[in-house]
Amino acid sequence: MSSQLTRRDWLRASGLLTAGLGLSRFTPATASRPNAPFVSGFTNEFAFTDDPFDKMPKLRARLLANENPLGISPNAKEALVKAADLGNRYAWMEFAQLKTLLATDEGVKPTNIMMSPGSSDILMAAADHFAKGGGTILTSTMTYDDLLQRAEKFGAKIKALPMTKDYKFDLPAIKANITPDVKMVYIVNPNNPTGTIIPTAELEAFIREVAPKVPVFIDEAYIDFFEPAERPKLGKLVSEGQNVILARTFSKIHGFAGLRLGYAIAQPEMLKTLHAYTNGEFAVSITTLMAGIASYKDVDWQNHCRAENAKARNYTTKALTDMGYEVIPSSANFILFPIRMKTSAFSNQMFANGIGIQTRDFNGQPYCRVSVGTMDEMAMFMDSFKKVVG
Ligand SMILES: Cc1ncc(COP(=O)(O)O)c(C=O)c1O
């Protein structure tokens, strides 16, 4: 099995991505990718041609981009209003405040943190840097591939090793494939689209062994869905001096997909290198930063969102399992499972019912990835699903 998915590819497969739509930063480039695309196992059987600006408002349940269906924290909303009075100021103090909060919790120094408008910017910066001059980026099949496709476009070779049978990154296989031409290892934990996680002790041991030879990039976009007690604390590896890059986003549990806020945790030298490929930290607005600080401090809201997500995820997993579907156990805010009809027919009918989902083929097997919405939305999803699959 092999292949990678990006938000871009998922959206394109569902017909929600056309040139000019701001759902991906690199839409026009990918819409007509000059080189053979790095999409080996999944086939894009299907593409809507109609305009997403027409399609999106018709959705009753928007379950296609792993957004937070509950919205942003009420405290973040208040902060947004307060920020209006500071819109004339550059955000010096706010950057310092948020970095100090993050650094304290992660056990690193503020100089180990670089802010960005969403984690995509960190992914793209790493792709640009590590692709320079060629070489290989080592990863797994069936993972998020924004970074991988970008790196390939700029000269890197992507080596994606098969996942384990239970849809996890095969760390021993990755270790065994570290060769002199490998420039970076890319891991997503929890992984998108499978929702699977790597046991923390295994991941830490892997980083300690591999990072002294080659930089390890851990995309932790969905880390906030871990129960706090189980959350990996890889910041300590950064403070040990390991060459690891952690990418985080406020787009998921904090609900900032539209507000745009993310950050990287890494060695200061590495951040300096990556910074050169970005538009700089001031690409993040004071509005977003102030809301981000309020949201970060609002642990009750995060706990509420995590609990609601788990409830709706469990409900959907059980409903699908009861129908005989094999759902991949997910630790994130989306679920992946094989379906028994063609992706195009399935997706068309779901969208016609007002339910936005993602579909892809993997090694000839059609899959549905559904983001976890509210309980009402998941009930609507199940209702439509039952009608569509008969
Ligand atoms: C695994 C993964 N990494 C990174 C991102 C980028 O998110 P953002 O740029 O909104 O922070 C996403 C978005 O869905 C994702 O799924």
Side-chain angles (χ1 to χ4, degrees):
M1 44 178 183
S2 77
S3 187
Q4 322 301 329
L5 310 178
T6 59
R7 174 177 47 191
R8 187 171 55 234
D9 284 333
W10 281 111
L11 289 167
R12 183 153 11 84
S14 299
L16 288 167
L17 190 60
T18 57
L21 174 68
L23 289 174
S24 168
R25 293 170 9 121
F26 302 105
T27 305
T30 40
S32 56
R33 224 179 271 127
N35 302 319
F38 175 60
V39 181
S40 36
F42 285 97
T43 45
N44 249 354
E45 269 187 19
F46 147 83
F48 281 116
T49 49
D50 41 336
D51 192 329
F53 287 109
D54 178 48
K55 189 175 295 296
M56 289 297 276
K58 290 185 185 145
L59 292 181
R60 292 182 296 140
R62 215 163 116 166
L63 306 175
L64 62 152
N66 304 341
E67 297 157 330
N68 182 338
L70 305 174
I72 67 171
S73 132
N75 295 354
K77 272 187 204 163
E78 248 177 62
L80 285 177
V81 174
K82 281 196 194 134
D85 283 337
L86 286 171
N88 57 325
R89 298 293 179 195
Y90 290 108
W92 302 108
M93 272 106 68
E94 290 72 15
F95 277 116
Q97 202 184 333
L98 184 50
K99 283 189 189 185
T100 304
L101 281 171
L102 294 167
T104 307
D105 286 352
E106 301 291 341
V108 297
K109 299 203 174 91
T111 48
N112 291 118
I113 297 177
M114 179 171 78
M115 305 306 302
S116 63
S119 63
S120 293
D121 289 52
I122 310 284
L123 271 63
M124 295 305 120
D128 291 355
H129 175 64
F130 289 105
K132 213 166 57 183
T136 298
I137 301 213
L138 196 53
T139 188
S140 171
T141 56
M142 241 180 155
T143 194
Y144 189 72
D145 79 346
D146 252 15
L147 180 154
L148 303 170
Q149 292 212 21
R150 171 84 166 193
E152 186 182 52
K153 205 161 71 186
F154 285 91
K157 206 175 120 229
I158 308 301
K159 187 164 183 183
L161 301 170
M163 295 206 120
T164 61
K165 279 197 197 71
D166 50 356
Y167 295 93
K168 293 186 178 178
F169 276 76
D170 188 341
L171 297 188
I174 293 179
K175 231 168 7 191
N177 276 274
I178 304 280
T179 48
D181 66 314
V182 172
K183 302 266 283 288
M184 190 187 86
V185 174
Y186 176 69
I187 288 171
V188 183
N189 187 51
N191 185 43
N192 179 12
T194 59
T196 46
I197 53 174
I198 302 166
T200 300
E202 197 188 325
L203 184 58
E204 286 182 8
F206 173 87
I207 294 169
R208 286 202 173 95
E209 198 177 330
V210 172
K213 296 175 217 147
V214 53
V216 180
F217 189 114
I218 314 277
D219 184 337
E220 297 189 317
Y222 299 95
I223 192 172
D224 298 309
F225 292 100
F226 275 98
E227 287 303 323
E230 285 153 28
R231 182 186 169 104
K233 294 191 175 68
L234 301 183
K236 69 171 178 252
L237 299 177
V238 174
S239 63
E240 272 174 25
Q242 299 291 354
N243 199 359
V244 57
I245 303 155
L246 310 177
R248 302 272 180 79
T249 181
F250 276 60
S251 293
K252 305 305 172 185
I253 218 162
H254 292 280
F256 276 41
L259 284 167
R260 311 301 300 142
L261 184 60
Y263 59 100
I265 306 180
Q267 300 306 327
E269 273 308 305
M270 175 59 74
L271 294 181
K272 200 169 150 203
T273 300
L274 296 180
H275 184 262
Y277 297 88
T278 71
N279 291 325
E281 292 187 303
F282 276 89
V284 182
S285 72
I286 196 166
T287 327
T288 293
L289 273 173
M290 286 177 70
I293 291 164
S295 183
Y296 188 76
K297 288 179 176 169
D298 193 350
V299 174
D300 286 348
W301 182 255
Q302 293 161 46
N303 289 341
H304 168 66
C305 293
R306 191 181 304 106
E308 289 300 306
N309 177 69
K311 214 190 300 172
R313 188 180 63 202
N314 293 344
Y315 156 78
T316 315
T317 303
K318 180 170 184 320
L320 291 167
T321 309
D322 287 349
M323 289 175 73
Y325 284 86
E326 281 179 38
V327 178
I328 301 170
S330 171
S331 299
N333 63 339
F334 49 84
I335 295 168
L336 187 73
F337 62 99
I339 52 175
R340 299 168 192 157
M341 60 190 283
K342 281 196 160 196
T343 51
S344 50
F346 175 76
S347 187
N348 268 330
Q349 289 176 51
M350 292 296 281
F351 271 84
N353 291 343
I355 311 296
I357 41 80
Q358 303 274 358
T359 53
R360 299 304 297 278
D361 281 340
F362 179 67
N363 281 352
Q365 167 63 56
Y367 283 80
C368 169
R369 190 199 69 183
V370 58
S371 303
V372 176
T374 60
M375 282 296 277
D376 283 352
E377 286 172 328
M378 298 326 281
M380 280 191 257
F381 165 79
M382 284 311 304
D383 186 48
S384 171
F385 185 78
K386 281 175 190 159
K387 285 187 187 129
V388 169
V389 302

